[in-house]
C-alpha cells in the first residue's frame, strides 16, 4: 500500500471512530487497529493524536464545503440569494444529521485540541467571508456582526435540533428561523 492510500485508510478509520465518540474517548490504539496500521504509522503520518483529529475535522469541513458548492453550482442563474442560503443550510443539516455526535461535541463543551479549534476557526472565518460575498454586504460593522451572529445562531439552533433527534419535521422551521435571523440582523437582503 502506498503512502497516500495508508494515510487515507488511517484518516477514514479515525473519521468513523470520531463520528461516534468524542476526541477524549478515542485512542490512537483504536485508530491503528481500525485502520490495520501500527500506532507508529499513525504517528508517522499525522504527528500527534491532536494533529490527526485536526485532519479529521478539516476533512469533514472540506466534504461539507464541497457538497454546498456542488448544490450552489447546480442552482440556475438568477436564483435569489435567499434560496442559495436556504440550499446551503439544507446541505448543512444533512451533514449534521449524518454526524450528530461529532458535530455537536464542541458545542456541548467537549474538549478539543487547539489544532482542531484552529481548523474550525479558519473555516468559520471563510464561511463568514463567503456568505458576505454572496450577500454583497460591506465591511460595515453591523454587517460583520450580523454575519458572525448568524453562524452563532445557526450553531445553537442546530444544536437544539440535534438534541431533539434531528427530526425531519423540524427541519423547515429551523431553516426559516435561520433565514429570518440573518435577514433581521442585516436589516434586508441587500440583493
Amino acid at each position: 500500500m502506498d503512502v497516500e492510500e495508508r494515510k487515507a485508510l488511517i484518516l477514514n478509520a479515525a473519521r468513523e471512530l470520531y463520528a461516534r465518540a468524542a476526541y477524549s474517548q478515542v485512542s490512537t490504539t483504536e485508530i491503528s487497529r481500525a485502520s490495520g496500521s501500527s500506532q507508529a504509522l499513525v504517528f508517522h503520518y499525522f504527528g500527534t493524536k491532536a494533529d490527526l483529529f485536526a485532519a479529521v475535522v478539516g476533512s469533514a469541513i472540506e466534504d461539507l464545503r464541497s457538497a454546498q458548492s456542488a448544490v450552489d453550482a447546480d442552482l440556475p442563474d438568477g436564483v435569489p440569494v435567499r434560496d442559495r442560503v436556504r440550499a446551503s443550510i439544507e446541505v448543512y443539516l444533512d451533514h449534521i444529521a449524518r454526524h450528530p455526535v461529532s458535530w455537536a461535541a464542541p458545542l456541548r463543551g467537549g474538549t478539543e485540541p487547539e489544532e482542531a479549534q484552529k481548523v474550525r476557526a479558519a473555516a468559520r472565518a471563510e464561511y463568514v467571508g463567503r456568505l458576505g460575498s454572496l450577500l454583497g454586504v460591506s465591511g460595515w460593522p453591523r454587517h460583520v456582526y450580523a454575519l458572525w451572529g448568524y453562524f452563532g445562531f445557526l450553531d445553537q439552533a442546530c444544536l437544539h435540533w440535534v438534541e431533539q433527534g434531528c427530526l425531519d419535521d423540524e427541519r423547515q422551521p429551523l431553516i426559516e428561523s435561520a433565514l429570518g435571523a440573518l435577514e433581521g440582523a442585516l436589516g434586508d437582503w441587500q440583493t
Side-chain angles (χ1 to χ4, degrees):
M1 187 176 296
D2 75 15
V3 170
E4 292 307 313
E5 289 174 323
R6 176 64 66 189
K7 283 177 74 172
L9 194 62
I10 293 168
L11 185 63
N12 288 334
R15 282 183 73 160
E16 287 180 27
L17 290 167
Y18 285 124
R20 296 187 300 265
Y23 173 75
S24 62
Q25 297 172 326
V26 177
S27 70
T28 54
T29 301
E30 291 173 279
I31 295 167
S32 63
R33 192 176 312 125
S35 67
S37 305
S38 68
Q39 266 191 295
L41 276 178
V42 171
F43 290 122
H44 175 73
Y45 291 134
F46 292 95
T48 66
K49 178 183 173 187
D51 290 331
L52 174 56
F53 186 73
V56 167
V57 169
S59 124
I61 289 168
E62 183 53 40
D63 288 350
L64 173 60
R65 184 182 302 125
S66 293
Q68 287 172 320
S69 294
V71 164
D72 188 62
D74 286 345
L75 293 173
D77 291 340
V79 168
V81 171
R82 192 175 211 277
D83 292 338
R84 290 187 181 282
V85 175
R86 175 188 298 280
S88 179
I89 295 170
E90 288 173 355
V91 171
Y92 190 45
L93 294 180
D94 291 343
H95 170 82
I96 292 169
R98 284 191 308 275
H99 312 95
V101 172
S102 58
W103 178 87
L107 296 173
R108 287 182 169 150
T111 58
E112 285 190 329
E114 185 177 332
E115 294 84 346
Q117 292 172 20
K118 287 179 180 178
V119 170
R120 288 187 197 282
R124 176 58 53 94
E126 180 188 332
Y127 270 106
V128 167
R130 286 176 52 205
L131 181 58
S133 293
L134 177 65
L135 295 171
V137 297
S138 68
W140 185 43
R142 176 179 172 182
H143 290 163
V144 173
Y145 286 115
L147 296 175
W148 283 95
Y150 162 73
F151 283 106
F153 176 89
L154 188 60
D155 282 346
Q156 291 305 308
C158 289
L159 180 58
H160 179 73
W161 184 62
V162 166
E163 290 169 350
Q164 301 307 307
C166 300
L167 301 172
D168 282 338
D169 63 343
E170 292 188 11
R171 282 176 68 103
Q172 288 311 309
L174 185 138
I175 292 167
E176 290 303 322
S177 67
L179 291 169
L182 179 58
E183 189 170 20
L186 288 171
D188 61 39
W189 283 96
Q190 302 291 318
T191 55

